[in-house]
Amino acid sequence: MCGIIGYIGSKMAAPLLLEGLQALEYRGYDSAGAALLQSGRLDIVRRAGRVENLKTPLNELAQGACVGIAHTRWATHGAPTEHNAHPHRSADARWAVVHNGIIENADALRDRLVADGVAFASETDTEVIPQLLARAEGAPLEALRQTLAQLAGSWALGILCAHAPDALFAACQSSPLLIGAAQDGMYLASDAAAFGDDVFALYRLNDGEMAVLRADSVAFYDSEGAPVRKEAAPFSRRAHGSDKGMYTHYMRKEIDEQPDAVRRTLAQFFSDAGALRLPALLPSSPRRVFLIACGSAYHACVTAKYVIEELAAVPCEAWVASEFRYAMPLIGKGDVAVFVSQSGETADTLAALRLATVHGAHTVGIVNVPDSAIARACALVLPTLAGAEIAVATTKAYSAQLAVLYALAAHWAQAGGQECTDFLDELRRLPEKISAALTSEARAKAVAQEIHKEEHAYFIGRGVDYATALEGSLKLKEISYLHSEAYPAGELKHGTISLIAPGTPVIALACTARLLPKTAANIREVTARGARVFALTGAGADQNTLDAEQIIAVPTAHPLLMPSLSVIPLQLLAYHVAALRGCDIDKPKNLAKSVTVE
Ligand code: M6R
């Protein structure tokens, strides 16, 4: 959620740190800060708000320093103010620390330090780390080892010590941290997107490990301080390219990238002759399937529950990961647990994965970041090949997740002897149909014009249309701050219909032909109370049948594949509403791209 960048080498650190922070800003953006180390002196600059606010003061501070650490913060402990921004320093000004993660025993450690007379300067959990470092004994690496031994929780740390001007220290536990080797120095980052163009090799720190970066070398240690050997993986920043090109927003660009993302993703699962081929490691007849994720990825799971049960007749449950991890789920041997995550770092999804593993389920990851924690912890990974997704609101990764889940459903259908030829034929053609769905932009924009000044909106649908309504509603509220709710179309009258007033916008999904008369009846229930209905249909219904003010036509496909098509105008609707309301589309307030805290 927060982002870390560090550099030690022969170049000026400040511009590299700023570039890195800008690349990381999509992960957290409520405050930012940096520390520079030169001639045994640590200088720190921090600002509330965007990285932009740090630019001038950091450049003024720079004056030739070649060692530095920097951070973008997403507040967990303490308000997003300047004094809570990272880096945090020890009371004796000897240590500076940037931290991603949560120190779970921070309160107890702070109480102990305060009782010993240490004065704290922030409300953060992080500040205990520099204060503990300052009180530890021995050389800096030994002080770090002693400090880490007292912490509980998760951390990715970048640390500078005024007494070790030629070193940058790092440590990690349950929060990703990478080291990039470049011609002129070493980088430290929580996300490869922050690395400079010259990084050619990459190391990943494992849980419990520490590292000491110097201008021309890096050494790794385990939690006892014993040296660890590590192989570097080749790295090219171009492969991680994330340029906005001619687009104003990453989100709009990523919406357009969906046909390619789905094409690439599906291509992994079809032979040249067009047969579906999933890895042999995938159990072919699971007793039950558990689909577990957060946010939009959970909505992909809700969609897949309908698809897997209807197509493959395998009992299936969709779970929000933060619920699953504290429930007493009846999961065990013979069950397949599927974890869906763009980032592969979502803390709740990772915890649910660990629980399912302990219970003996076969674990499968559907993940967009290949080397992520979730990918590494699953028995089998079915990658989404969406490419780097920068906008906080997911679009192309969501579409790629649906594509993998469809392939899984078809695999289990075939293995169980269920007929799914039509489904597979249409699945192969899905990328073209998604391209066709993108032509709905003008209609989506027209609906955006109608609703962008409203305060509330409702999304309704039945079956897979309900699952897509959930996603459309989340997309709208997360980027435009227009409050919206999604309901199964038949459920509205059990309470929520009391909120429908003359003029209330209702976005009705009527893309499932067999349920059309039912959804049409639910639409009449809301128009009878004055709602303005904007309907999406691929089922050939018209404005009169659906009693709608406007219709957005969606290309038709197999009914179970319609979510991949109907979600496109909903993404475009959210985008245009947010644009009309003047919102910061790629970086909505309070959100982070990768949610690495519980
Ligand atoms: O990285 P993940 O897919 O695990 O993230 C899960 C959710 O945080 C994510 O889908 C979130 O809901 C998005 N902001 C939705 O656009």
Coordinates of all heavy atoms in Angstrom, one line a residue, residues 449-539:
Q449 N -23.5 11.6 -18.5 CA -24.0 13.0 -18.6 C -25.3 13.1 -17.7 O -25.5 14.0 -17.0 CB -24.3 13.4 -20.0 CG -23.2 13.9 -20.8 CD -22.7 15.2 -20.2 OE1 -23.2 15.8 -19.3 NE2 -21.5 15.7 -20.7
E450 N -26.1 12.0 -17.8 CA -27.4 12.1 -17.1 C -27.2 11.9 -15.6 O -28.0 12.4 -14.9 CB -28.3 10.9 -17.7 CG -28.7 11.1 -19.1 CD -29.5 12.3 -19.4 OE1 -30.3 12.7 -18.5 OE2 -29.3 13.0 -20.4
I451 N -26.3 11.1 -15.2 CA -26.2 10.8 -13.8 C -25.1 11.4 -12.9 O -25.1 11.3 -11.7 CB -26.2 9.2 -13.6 CG1 -24.8 8.6 -13.9 CG2 -27.3 8.5 -14.3 CD1 -24.6 7.2 -13.5
H452 N -24.2 12.1 -13.6 CA -23.0 12.5 -12.8 C -23.3 13.5 -11.7 O -22.4 13.6 -10.8 CB -21.9 13.0 -13.8 CG -22.2 14.4 -14.3 ND1 -23.0 14.7 -15.4 CD2 -21.7 15.6 -13.9 CE1 -23.0 16.0 -15.6 NE2 -22.2 16.6 -14.7
K453 N -24.4 14.1 -11.7 CA -24.7 15.1 -10.6 C -25.5 14.4 -9.5 O -25.8 15.1 -8.5 CB -25.4 16.3 -11.1 CG -24.6 17.2 -12.0 CD -25.2 18.5 -12.3 CE -24.2 19.4 -13.1 NZ -24.9 20.0 -14.2
E454 N -25.8 13.2 -9.6 CA -26.6 12.5 -8.6 C -25.8 12.1 -7.4 O -24.5 12.1 -7.5 CB -27.2 11.2 -9.2 CG -28.1 11.4 -10.4 CD -29.4 12.0 -9.9 OE1 -29.8 12.0 -8.7 OE2 -30.1 12.6 -10.8
E455 N -26.5 11.8 -6.3 CA -25.7 11.4 -5.1 C -25.7 9.9 -4.9 O -24.9 9.3 -4.2 CB -26.3 12.1 -3.8 CG -25.9 13.5 -3.7 CD -26.5 14.1 -2.5 OE1 -26.7 13.4 -1.5 OE2 -26.7 15.3 -2.5
H456 N -26.7 9.2 -5.4 CA -26.9 7.8 -5.2 C -27.3 7.1 -6.6 O -28.0 7.7 -7.4 CB -28.0 7.5 -4.2 CG -27.9 8.2 -2.9 ND1 -27.0 7.8 -2.0 CD2 -28.5 9.3 -2.5 CE1 -27.1 8.7 -1.0 NE2 -28.0 9.6 -1.3
A457 N -26.8 5.9 -6.7 CA -27.3 5.1 -7.9 C -27.4 3.6 -7.4 O -26.7 3.2 -6.5 CB -26.3 5.2 -9.0
Y458 N -28.2 2.9 -8.1 CA -28.4 1.5 -7.8 C -28.2 0.6 -9.0 O -28.5 1.0 -10.1 CB -29.8 1.2 -7.2 CG -29.9 2.0 -5.9 CD1 -30.4 3.3 -5.9 CD2 -29.5 1.4 -4.7 CE1 -30.4 4.0 -4.7 CE2 -29.6 2.1 -3.5 CZ -30.0 3.4 -3.5 OH -30.0 4.1 -2.4
F459 N -27.5 -0.5 -8.8 CA -27.3 -1.4 -9.9 C -28.0 -2.7 -9.6 O -28.0 -3.2 -8.5 CB -25.8 -1.8 -10.0 CG -24.9 -0.7 -10.6 CD1 -24.7 0.5 -9.9 CD2 -24.3 -0.9 -11.8 CE1 -23.8 1.5 -10.4 CE2 -23.5 0.1 -12.3 CZ -23.2 1.3 -11.6
I460 N -28.8 -3.2 -10.6 CA -29.5 -4.5 -10.3 C -29.2 -5.5 -11.5 O -29.0 -5.1 -12.6 CB -31.0 -4.3 -10.1 CG1 -31.6 -3.6 -11.4 CG2 -31.3 -3.5 -8.9 CD1 -33.2 -3.5 -11.3
G461 N -29.4 -6.8 -11.2 CA -29.2 -7.8 -12.2 C -29.5 -9.1 -11.5 O -29.5 -9.2 -10.3
R462 N -29.7 -10.2 -12.3 CA -29.9 -11.5 -11.8 C -28.8 -12.4 -12.3 O -28.3 -12.3 -13.4 CB -31.2 -12.1 -12.2 CG -32.4 -11.4 -11.6 CD -33.7 -11.9 -12.2 NE -34.9 -11.3 -11.5 CZ -35.6 -12.0 -10.6 NH1 -35.3 -13.2 -10.3 NH2 -36.6 -11.4 -9.9
G463 N -28.4 -13.4 -11.5 CA -27.4 -14.4 -11.9 C -26.1 -13.7 -12.1 O -25.7 -12.8 -11.4
V464 N -25.5 -14.1 -13.3 CA -24.2 -13.5 -13.5 C -24.3 -11.9 -13.7 O -23.3 -11.2 -13.5 CB -23.4 -14.1 -14.8 CG1 -22.9 -15.5 -14.5 CG2 -24.3 -14.1 -16.0
D465 N -25.5 -11.5 -14.1 CA -25.7 -10.0 -14.2 C -25.6 -9.4 -12.8 O -25.1 -8.2 -12.7 CB -27.1 -9.7 -14.8 CG -27.1 -10.0 -16.3 OD1 -26.1 -10.1 -16.9 OD2 -28.3 -10.0 -16.8
Y466 N -26.0 -10.1 -11.8 CA -25.8 -9.5 -10.5 C -24.4 -9.4 -10.1 O -23.9 -8.4 -9.6 CB -26.6 -10.4 -9.4 CG -26.2 -10.1 -8.0 CD1 -26.3 -8.8 -7.5 CD2 -25.6 -11.1 -7.2 CE1 -25.9 -8.5 -6.2 CE2 -25.2 -10.8 -5.9 CZ -25.3 -9.5 -5.4 OH -24.9 -9.3 -4.2
A467 N -23.6 -10.5 -10.5 CA -22.1 -10.4 -10.2 C -21.5 -9.2 -10.9 O -20.7 -8.5 -10.3 CB -21.5 -11.7 -10.6
T468 N -21.9 -8.9 -12.1 CA -21.4 -7.8 -12.9 C -21.9 -6.5 -12.3 O -21.2 -5.5 -12.3 CB -21.7 -7.9 -14.4 OG1 -21.5 -9.2 -14.8 CG2 -20.9 -7.0 -15.2
A469 N -23.1 -6.5 -11.8 CA -23.6 -5.3 -11.1 C -22.8 -4.9 -9.9 O -22.5 -3.7 -9.7 CB -25.1 -5.5 -10.7
L470 N -22.3 -5.9 -9.2 CA -21.4 -5.7 -8.1 C -20.2 -4.9 -8.5 O -19.7 -4.0 -7.9 CB -21.0 -7.0 -7.4 CG -22.1 -7.7 -6.5 CD1 -21.5 -9.1 -6.2 CD2 -22.4 -6.9 -5.3
E471 N -19.6 -5.4 -9.6 CA -18.4 -4.8 -10.1 C -18.6 -3.4 -10.7 O -17.8 -2.5 -10.4 CB -17.8 -5.7 -11.2 CG -16.5 -5.2 -11.8 CD -15.4 -4.9 -10.9 OE1 -15.4 -5.2 -9.7 OE2 -14.4 -4.3 -11.4
G472 N -19.7 -3.2 -11.4 CA -20.1 -1.9 -12.0 C -20.3 -0.9 -10.9 O -19.8 0.2 -11.0
S473 N -20.9 -1.3 -9.8 CA -21.2 -0.4 -8.7 C -19.9 0.0 -8.0 O -19.7 1.1 -7.6 CB -22.2 -1.1 -7.7 OG -22.3 -0.4 -6.6
L474 N -19.0 -1.0 -7.8 CA -17.7 -0.7 -7.1 C -16.9 0.2 -7.9 O -16.3 1.2 -7.4 CB -17.0 -2.0 -6.8 CG -15.6 -1.8 -6.2 CD1 -15.7 -1.3 -4.8 CD2 -14.8 -3.1 -6.2
K475 N -16.9 0.0 -9.3 CA -16.1 0.8 -10.1 C -16.6 2.3 -10.0 O -15.8 3.2 -9.9 CB -16.3 0.3 -11.6 CG -15.2 0.3 -12.5 CD -14.1 -0.7 -12.4 CE -13.5 -0.9 -11.0 NZ -12.7 -2.1 -10.8
L476 N -17.9 2.4 -10.1 CA -18.5 3.8 -10.0 C -18.1 4.5 -8.7 O -17.6 5.6 -8.7 CB -20.0 3.7 -10.2 CG -20.7 5.1 -10.2 CD1 -20.3 5.9 -11.4 CD2 -22.2 4.9 -10.2
K477 N -18.4 3.8 -7.6 CA -18.2 4.5 -6.3 C -16.7 4.8 -6.1 O -16.3 5.8 -5.5 CB -18.9 3.9 -5.2 CG -18.4 2.5 -4.7 CD -19.4 2.0 -3.7 CE -19.6 0.5 -3.8 NZ -20.7 0.0 -3.1
E478 N -15.8 3.8 -6.4 CA -14.4 4.0 -6.0 C -13.7 5.1 -6.7 O -12.9 5.8 -6.2 CB -13.6 2.7 -6.1 CG -13.3 2.2 -7.5 CD -12.4 1.0 -7.5 OE1 -11.5 0.8 -6.6 OE2 -12.5 0.1 -8.4
I479 N -14.2 5.4 -8.0 CA -13.4 6.5 -8.7 C -14.2 7.8 -8.8 O -13.6 8.8 -9.0 CB -12.9 6.1 -10.1 CG1 -14.1 5.7 -11.0 CG2 -11.9 4.9 -10.0 CD1 -13.6 5.6 -12.5
S480 N -15.6 7.7 -8.7 CA -16.3 9.0 -8.8 C -16.9 9.5 -7.5 O -17.4 10.6 -7.5 CB -17.5 8.8 -9.8 OG -18.5 8.1 -9.2
Y481 N -16.8 8.7 -6.5 CA -17.4 9.0 -5.1 C -18.9 9.2 -5.2 O -19.5 9.8 -4.3 CB -16.7 10.2 -4.5 CG -15.2 10.3 -4.7 CD1 -14.5 11.4 -5.0 CD2 -14.4 9.1 -4.7 CE1 -13.2 11.5 -5.2 CE2 -13.1 9.1 -4.9 CZ -12.4 10.3 -5.2 OH -11.1 10.4 -5.4
L482 N -19.5 8.7 -6.3 CA -21.0 8.7 -6.3 C -21.4 7.4 -5.6 O -21.1 6.3 -6.0 CB -21.4 8.8 -7.8 CG -22.9 9.1 -8.1 CD1 -23.0 9.4 -9.6 CD2 -23.9 8.0 -7.8
H483 N -22.2 7.6 -4.5 CA -22.6 6.4 -3.8 C -23.4 5.5 -4.6 O -24.4 5.9 -5.2 CB -23.3 6.8 -2.5 CG -24.0 5.6 -1.9 ND1 -25.4 5.5 -1.8 CD2 -23.5 4.5 -1.3 CE1 -25.7 4.4 -1.2 NE2 -24.6 3.8 -0.9
S484 N -23.1 4.2 -4.6 CA -23.9 3.2 -5.4 C -23.9 1.9 -4.6 O -23.0 1.6 -3.9 CB -23.4 3.1 -6.8 OG -22.2 2.3 -6.8
E485 N -25.0 1.2 -4.9 CA -25.2 -0.2 -4.3 C -25.6 -1.1 -5.4 O -26.3 -0.7 -6.3 CB -26.3 -0.2 -3.2 CG -26.0 0.7 -2.1 CD -24.8 0.3 -1.2 OE1 -24.5 -0.9 -1.2 OE2 -24.2 1.2 -0.6
A486 N -25.2 -2.4 -5.3 CA -25.7 -3.4 -6.2 C -26.5 -4.4 -5.5 O -26.2 -4.8 -4.4 CB -24.5 -4.1 -6.9
Y487 N -27.6 -4.8 -6.2 CA -28.5 -5.7 -5.6 C -29.0 -6.8 -6.6 O -29.1 -6.5 -7.8 CB -29.8 -5.0 -5.0 CG -29.6 -4.5 -3.7 CD1 -29.1 -3.2 -3.5 CD2 -29.8 -5.3 -2.5 CE1 -28.8 -2.7 -2.3 CE2 -29.5 -4.8 -1.3 CZ -29.0 -3.5 -1.1 OH -28.8 -3.0 0.1
P488 N -29.2 -8.0 -6.1 CA -29.9 -8.9 -7.0 C -31.3 -8.3 -7.3 O -31.9 -7.8 -6.4 CB -30.1 -10.2 -6.1 CG -29.1 -10.1 -5.0 CD -29.0 -8.6 -4.8
A489 N -31.7 -8.3 -8.6 CA -32.8 -7.5 -9.0 C -34.1 -7.9 -8.2 O -34.9 -7.0 -7.9 CB -33.1 -7.7 -10.5
G490 N -34.2 -9.1 -7.8 CA -35.4 -9.5 -7.1 C -35.4 -9.2 -5.6 O -36.4 -9.4 -4.9
E491 N -34.3 -8.7 -5.2 CA -34.1 -8.5 -3.7 C -34.4 -7.1 -3.3 O -34.6 -6.8 -2.1 CB -32.6 -8.8 -3.4 CG -32.1 -8.7 -2.0 CD -32.8 -9.7 -1.0 OE1 -33.5 -10.6 -1.5 OE2 -32.7 -9.4 0.2
L492 N -34.4 -6.2 -4.3 CA -34.6 -4.8 -4.0 C -35.8 -4.5 -3.1 O -35.8 -3.7 -2.2 CB -34.6 -4.0 -5.3 CG -34.0 -2.6 -5.3 CD1 -32.6 -2.6 -5.0 CD2 -34.2 -2.0 -6.7
K493 N -36.9 -5.2 -3.5 CA -38.2 -4.9 -2.8 C -38.2 -5.4 -1.4 O -39.2 -5.2 -0.7 CB -39.3 -5.5 -3.6 CG -39.3 -7.0 -3.9 CD -40.5 -7.4 -4.7 CE -40.3 -8.7 -5.5 NZ -39.3 -8.6 -6.5
H494 N -37.1 -6.0 -1.0 CA -37.1 -6.5 0.4 C -36.5 -5.5 1.4 O -36.0 -5.9 2.4 CB -36.4 -7.9 0.5 CG -37.1 -8.9 -0.3 ND1 -38.3 -9.5 0.2 CD2 -36.9 -9.5 -1.5 CE1 -38.7 -10.4 -0.7 NE2 -37.9 -10.4 -1.7
G495 N -36.5 -4.3 1.0 CA -36.0 -3.2 1.9 C -35.4 -2.0 1.1 O -35.9 -0.9 1.3
T496 N -34.5 -2.3 0.2 CA -33.8 -1.1 -0.4 C -34.7 -0.3 -1.3 O -34.4 0.9 -1.6 CB -32.6 -1.7 -1.2 OG1 -31.9 -2.6 -0.3 CG2 -31.6 -0.6 -1.7
I497 N -35.7 -0.9 -1.8 CA -36.6 -0.1 -2.7 C -37.2 1.2 -2.0 O -37.6 2.1 -2.7 CB -37.7 -1.0 -3.3 CG1 -38.3 -0.4 -4.6 CG2 -38.8 -1.2 -2.2 CD1 -39.1 -1.4 -5.4
S498 N -37.1 1.2 -0.7 CA -37.6 2.4 0.0 C -36.7 3.6 -0.3 O -37.1 4.7 -0.1 CB -37.6 2.1 1.5 OG -36.3 1.9 2.0
L499 N -35.5 3.4 -0.8 CA -34.6 4.5 -1.2 C -34.8 5.0 -2.6 O -34.2 6.0 -3.0 CB -33.1 4.0 -1.1 CG -32.7 3.7 0.4 CD1 -31.3 3.0 0.3 CD2 -32.6 5.0 1.2
I500 N -35.6 4.3 -3.4 CA -35.9 4.7 -4.8 C -36.9 5.9 -4.7 O -38.0 5.7 -4.2 CB -36.5 3.5 -5.6 CG1 -35.5 2.4 -5.6 CG2 -36.8 4.0 -7.0 CD1 -34.2 2.6 -6.4
A501 N -36.5 7.0 -5.3 CA -37.3 8.2 -5.3 C -37.4 8.7 -6.7 O -36.7 8.2 -7.6 CB -36.7 9.2 -4.4
P502 N -38.3 9.6 -7.0 CA -38.4 10.1 -8.4 C -37.0 10.6 -8.8 O -36.4 11.4 -8.1 CB -39.4 11.2 -8.3 CG -40.3 10.8 -7.2 CD -39.4 10.1 -6.2
G503 N -36.5 10.1 -9.9 CA -35.2 10.5 -10.5 C -34.0 9.7 -10.1 O -33.0 9.8 -10.7
T504 N -34.2 8.8 -9.1 CA -33.0 7.9 -8.7 C -32.6 7.1 -9.9 O -33.3 6.4 -10.5 CB -33.4 7.0 -7.6 OG1 -34.0 7.7 -6.5 CG2 -32.2 6.2 -7.1
P505 N -31.2 7.2 -10.2 CA -30.8 6.4 -11.3 C -30.6 4.9 -10.9 O -30.1 4.6 -9.9 CB -29.4 6.9 -11.7 CG -29.1 7.9 -10.6 CD -30.2 8.1 -9.7
V506 N -31.1 4.0 -11.8 CA -31.0 2.6 -11.6 C -30.3 2.0 -12.9 O -30.9 2.2 -14.0 CB -32.3 1.9 -11.3 CG1 -32.1 0.3 -11.3 CG2 -32.9 2.3 -10.0
I507 N -29.2 1.4 -12.7 CA -28.5 0.8 -13.9 C -28.9 -0.7 -13.8 O -28.5 -1.4 -12.9 CB -27.0 1.0 -13.8 CG1 -26.7 2.4 -14.1 CG2 -26.3 0.2 -15.0 CD1 -26.5 3.3 -13.0
A508 N -29.7 -1.1 -14.8 CA -30.2 -2.5 -14.8 C -29.5 -3.4 -15.8 O -29.4 -3.0 -17.0 CB -31.7 -2.5 -15.1
L509 N -29.0 -4.5 -15.4 CA -28.3 -5.4 -16.3 C -29.3 -6.5 -16.7 O -29.8 -7.2 -15.8 CB -27.1 -6.0 -15.6 CG -25.9 -5.1 -15.6 CD1 -25.8 -4.3 -14.3 CD2 -24.6 -5.9 -15.7
A510 N -29.6 -6.6 -18.0 CA -30.5 -7.5 -18.4 C -29.9 -8.3 -19.6 O -30.4 -8.2 -20.8 CB -31.8 -6.8 -18.9
C511 N -28.8 -8.9 -19.3 CA -28.0 -9.6 -20.4 C -28.2 -11.1 -20.4 O -27.6 -11.8 -21.2 CB -26.5 -9.2 -20.2 SG -26.2 -7.5 -20.2
T512 N -29.0 -11.6 -19.6 CA -29.2 -13.1 -19.5 C -30.6 -13.3 -20.1 O -31.6 -13.1 -19.4 CB -29.1 -13.6 -18.1 OG1 -27.9 -13.1 -17.6 CG2 -29.2 -15.1 -18.0
A513 N -30.7 -13.8 -21.3 CA -32.0 -13.9 -22.0 C -33.0 -14.7 -21.2 O -34.1 -14.3 -21.1 CB -31.7 -14.6 -23.4
R514 N -32.6 -15.8 -20.6 CA -33.6 -16.6 -19.9 C -34.2 -15.9 -18.7 O -35.3 -16.3 -18.2 CB -33.0 -18.0 -19.5 CG -32.3 -18.1 -18.3 CD -31.7 -19.5 -18.0 NE -30.6 -19.4 -17.1 CZ -30.7 -19.4 -15.8 NH1 -31.9 -19.6 -15.2 NH2 -29.6 -19.2 -15.0
L515 N -33.5 -14.9 -18.2 CA -34.1 -14.2 -17.0 C -34.7 -12.8 -17.4 O -35.1 -12.1 -16.5 CB -32.9 -14.0 -16.0 CG -32.3 -15.3 -15.4 CD1 -31.1 -15.0 -14.6 CD2 -33.3 -16.0 -14.6
L516 N -34.7 -12.6 -18.7 CA -35.2 -11.2 -19.1 C -36.5 -10.8 -18.6 O -36.7 -9.7 -18.0 CB -35.2 -11.2 -20.7 CG -35.1 -9.8 -21.3 CD1 -33.9 -9.1 -20.8 CD2 -35.1 -10.0 -22.8
P517 N -37.6 -11.7 -18.7 CA -38.9 -11.3 -18.2 C -38.9 -11.0 -16.7 O -39.5 -10.0 -16.2 CB -39.8 -12.5 -18.4 CG -39.0 -13.4 -19.4 CD -37.6 -13.1 -19.3
K518 N -38.0 -11.7 -16.0 CA -38.0 -11.5 -14.5 C -37.3 -10.1 -14.2 O -37.8 -9.3 -13.4 CB -37.1 -12.6 -13.8 CG -37.7 -14.0 -14.0 CD -39.0 -14.1 -13.2 CE -39.7 -15.4 -13.6 NZ -41.1 -15.4 -13.2
T519 N -36.2 -9.9 -14.9 CA -35.5 -8.6 -14.7 C -36.4 -7.4 -15.2 O -36.5 -6.4 -14.5 CB -34.1 -8.6 -15.4 OG1 -33.4 -9.8 -15.0 CG2 -33.3 -7.4 -15.1
A520 N -37.1 -7.6 -16.3 CA -38.0 -6.6 -16.8 C -39.0 -6.2 -15.7 O -39.4 -5.1 -15.5 CB -38.6 -7.0 -18.1
A521 N -39.5 -7.3 -15.1 CA -40.6 -7.0 -14.0 C -39.9 -6.2 -12.9 O -40.6 -5.3 -12.3 CB -41.1 -8.3 -13.5
N522 N -38.7 -6.5 -12.5 CA -38.0 -5.8 -11.4 C -37.8 -4.3 -11.8 O -37.9 -3.4 -11.0 CB -36.7 -6.5 -11.0 CG -36.9 -7.9 -10.5 OD1 -36.2 -8.8 -10.9 ND2 -37.9 -8.1 -9.7
I523 N -37.5 -4.1 -13.1 CA -37.3 -2.8 -13.6 C -38.6 -2.0 -13.4 O -38.6 -0.8 -13.0 CB -36.8 -2.8 -15.1 CG1 -35.4 -3.3 -15.1 CG2 -36.9 -1.4 -15.7 CD1 -34.8 -3.5 -16.5
R524 N -39.7 -2.6 -13.8 CA -41.0 -1.9 -13.7 C -41.3 -1.5 -12.2 O -41.9 -0.5 -11.9 CB -42.1 -2.8 -14.2 CG -42.1 -2.7 -15.8 CD -43.2 -3.4 -16.5 NE -42.8 -3.5 -17.9 CZ -42.9 -2.6 -18.8 NH1 -43.3 -1.4 -18.5 NH2 -42.5 -2.8 -20.0
E525 N -40.8 -2.4 -11.3 CA -41.0 -2.0 -9.9 C -40.4 -0.7 -9.5 O -40.9 0.1 -8.7 CB -40.5 -3.2 -9.0 CG -41.3 -4.4 -9.0 CD -40.5 -5.7 -8.5 OE1 -39.4 -5.5 -8.0 OE2 -41.1 -6.8 -8.6
V526 N -39.2 -0.5 -10.1 CA -38.5 0.8 -9.7 C -39.0 2.0 -10.6 O -39.1 3.1 -10.1 CB -37.0 0.7 -9.8 CG1 -36.5 -0.3 -8.7 CG2 -36.4 0.3 -11.1
T527 N -39.3 1.7 -11.9 CA -39.9 2.8 -12.7 C -41.2 3.3 -12.1 O -41.5 4.5 -12.1 CB -40.0 2.5 -14.2 OG1 -40.7 1.3 -14.3 CG2 -38.6 2.3 -14.8
A528 N -42.0 2.4 -11.6 CA -43.3 2.7 -10.9 C -43.1 3.7 -9.8 O -44.0 4.4 -9.4 CB -44.0 1.5 -10.5
R529 N -41.9 3.7 -9.2 CA -41.6 4.6 -8.1 C -40.7 5.8 -8.6 O -40.1 6.5 -7.7 CB -40.9 3.8 -7.0 CG -41.9 3.0 -6.2 CD -41.4 1.7 -5.7 NE -42.5 1.0 -5.1 CZ -43.2 0.0 -5.7 NH1 -42.9 -0.4 -7.0 NH2 -44.3 -0.6 -5.1
G530 N -40.7 6.0 -9.9 CA -40.0 7.2 -10.4 C -38.6 7.1 -10.8 O -37.9 8.0 -11.2
A531 N -38.0 5.9 -10.6 CA -36.6 5.7 -11.0 C -36.3 6.0 -12.5 O -37.2 5.7 -13.3 CB -36.1 4.3 -10.6
R532 N -35.1 6.4 -12.8 CA -34.7 6.6 -14.2 C -33.8 5.3 -14.4 O -32.8 5.2 -13.8 CB -33.9 7.8 -14.4 CG -34.6 9.1 -14.0 CD -33.6 10.3 -14.2 NE -33.3 10.5 -15.6 CZ -32.3 11.3 -16.0 NH1 -31.6 11.9 -15.1 NH2 -32.0 11.5 -17.3
V533 N -34.3 4.5 -15.4 CA -33.5 3.2 -15.6 C -32.7 3.3 -16.9 O -33.1 3.8 -17.9 CB -34.5 2.1 -15.7 CG1 -33.8 0.8 -16.2 CG2 -35.2 1.8 -14.3
F534 N -31.4 2.9 -16.7 CA -30.5 2.8 -17.8 C -30.2 1.3 -17.9 O -29.6 0.8 -16.9 CB -29.3 3.7 -17.6 CG -29.6 5.1 -17.3 CD1 -29.8 5.6 -16.0 CD2 -29.8 6.0 -18.3 CE1 -30.2 6.9 -15.7 CE2 -30.2 7.3 -18.1 CZ -30.4 7.8 -16.8
A535 N -30.6 0.7 -19.0 CA -30.4 -0.7 -19.0 C -29.4 -1.2 -20.0 O -29.2 -0.6 -21.1 CB -31.8 -1.4 -19.4
L536 N -28.7 -2.2 -19.6 CA -27.7 -2.9 -20.4 C -28.3 -4.2 -20.9 O -28.8 -5.0 -20.1 CB -26.4 -3.3 -19.7 CG -25.3 -2.3 -19.6 CD1 -25.6 -1.1 -18.7 CD2 -24.0 -2.9 -19.2
T537 N -28.3 -4.4 -22.2 CA -28.8 -5.7 -22.6 C -28.1 -6.2 -23.9 O -27.7 -5.4 -24.7 CB -30.3 -5.7 -22.9 OG1 -30.7 -7.0 -23.2 CG2 -30.7 -4.7 -24.0
G538 N -27.9 -7.5 -23.9 CA -27.4 -8.1 -25.1 C -28.4 -9.1 -25.5 O -28.2 -9.9 -26.4
A539 N -29.5 -9.1 -24.8 CA -30.5 -10.2 -25.0 C -31.5 -9.8 -26.1 O -32.6 -10.4 -26.2 CB -31.1 -10.5 -23.7

